[in-house]
Amino acid sequence: MATYKKRGYKPKTNVEKEVELEAGSTTAEVFSSLDQGASKTEAWVEKNQKSIFMVVAVIAIGVLGYIAYQKFVFEPKQIEAANEVYQASSYFEQALTADVQKDSLYLMALNGNAGRYGLLDIADKFDGTPAGDLARYQAGIAYFNLSQYDKAIEYLDGFSSGDAMMTPVAKGVIGDSFAQLEQFDEALNYYLQAVDLSNNALTTPRYLLKAGTTALRLGQNAVALKAFSRIVEEFEDATEVTQAKAYKAQIGRAHV
């Protein structure tokens, strides 16, 4: 139990004096060690302050450089890319719906026209921007529709986006390209990737059906049955349901 000492209290015995001296000594040692630690730290800082300042300066320059790059390089680059991609994308969209001259429109979209960049230039020059990513995607689709399947695979395999529709379509068209090249193992792999990338009523049943029919071609009936069953069970309103049911029945008859 602590004892309250009145002002002016003095130890009366030798034992009390020794305890007080020891306590004072211990406290002094604690403060002394703190002072020594502080002195060592100050000495280390003083000795290494040049290196410290250099590290801080490098970090500061890096942060300022990133901010400057975003403001003065990346943002203007995005604006320029968006302006350039407009005309090329316009040709691409016209080609998708055109009844005639589709190939000519796709080529103008890819290579540019009247001094404007085409999708290939934009994908290269503005790589890493949203416009550059869009150009890469559209270039891949254009090449597929021009039956240049190797180039379609090249451009679409380098495409990345968080878009829930474009990303699975890109993988699916790679699958279609491999199927056209009769590389059905690769086609199945990309169809399954397309299925895994997004769960929606448009792309998912489409690529499930393609995965199922390709798996059947490869003799992978279990994979095919799983794909067809998922269409029937999860996408009952999809246009692919009728075909999925027919293929399921075909697999069932094969096992009778």
Side-chain angles (χ1 to χ4, degrees), residues 6-231:
K6 294 181 181 178
R7 186 186 299 271
Y9 172 81
K10 296 182 179 179
K12 296 181 179 180
T13 67
N14 290 332
V15 173
E16 286 178 323
K17 290 180 180 179
E18 289 176 6
V19 169
E20 187 173 80
L21 287 170
E22 185 176 345
S25 176
T26 302
T27 303
E29 287 175 2
V30 170
F31 282 116
S32 176
S33 66
L34 292 174
D35 289 340
Q36 289 174 10
S39 297
K40 289 179 181 178
T41 301
E42 290 169 1
W44 184 89
V45 170
E46 184 177 352
K47 181 180 179 181
N48 297 279
Q49 63 181 344
K50 185 175 181 180
S51 299
I52 294 170
F53 291 151
M54 287 180 65
V55 170
V56 172
V58 167
I59 294 171
I61 290 169
V63 172
L64 292 173
Y66 175 77
I67 294 171
Y69 175 81
Q70 289 291 110
K71 184 169 182 63
F72 298 111
V73 178
F74 188 70
E75 290 179 9
K77 186 178 180 182
Q78 283 186 301
I79 294 169
E80 183 185 0
N83 291 334
E84 289 292 345
V85 81
Y86 175 79
Q87 186 60 62
S89 290
S90 177
Y91 290 132
F92 173 80
E93 290 168 6
Q94 290 176 53
L96 291 176
T97 57
D99 294 324
V100 295
Q101 296 184 323
K102 295 174 74 75
D103 288 1
S104 296
L105 287 167
Y106 279 128
L107 290 171
M108 283 195 291
L110 286 167
N111 300 312
N113 186 48
R116 300 299 297 271
Y117 283 136
L119 297 172
L120 302 182
D121 293 321
I122 296 166
D124 179 55
K125 182 174 181 179
F126 301 107
D127 185 38
T129 68
D133 291 337
L134 176 63
R136 180 171 291 279
Y137 171 83
Q138 291 181 341
I141 303 297
Y143 275 130
F144 177 81
N145 286 308
L146 290 168
S147 302
Q148 297 186 41
Y149 304 118
D150 288 336
K151 289 186 176 180
I153 292 168
E154 176 189 345
Y155 274 85
L156 291 173
D157 209 28
F159 169 74
S160 63
S161 170
D163 189 276
M165 300 297 289
M166 292 170 66
T167 303
V169 168
K171 296 297 183 185
V173 175
I174 294 174
D176 291 339
S177 298
F178 276 118
Q180 291 293 331
L181 295 170
E182 298 188 351
Q183 298 180 38
F184 297 109
D185 285 316
E186 290 287 350
L188 177 58
N189 175 40
Y190 278 94
Y191 289 144
L192 292 175
Q193 286 186 48
V195 168
D196 290 339
L197 281 168
S198 181
N199 187 24
N200 63 74
L202 183 62
T203 66
T204 307
R206 174 183 176 84
Y207 293 119
L208 279 170
L209 185 65
K210 287 176 178 284
T213 55
T214 305
L216 274 182
R217 179 187 285 270
L218 293 168
Q220 299 182 28
N221 287 3
V223 175
L225 183 61
K226 183 178 179 180
F228 298 139
S229 297
R230 186 176 169 191
I231 295 171

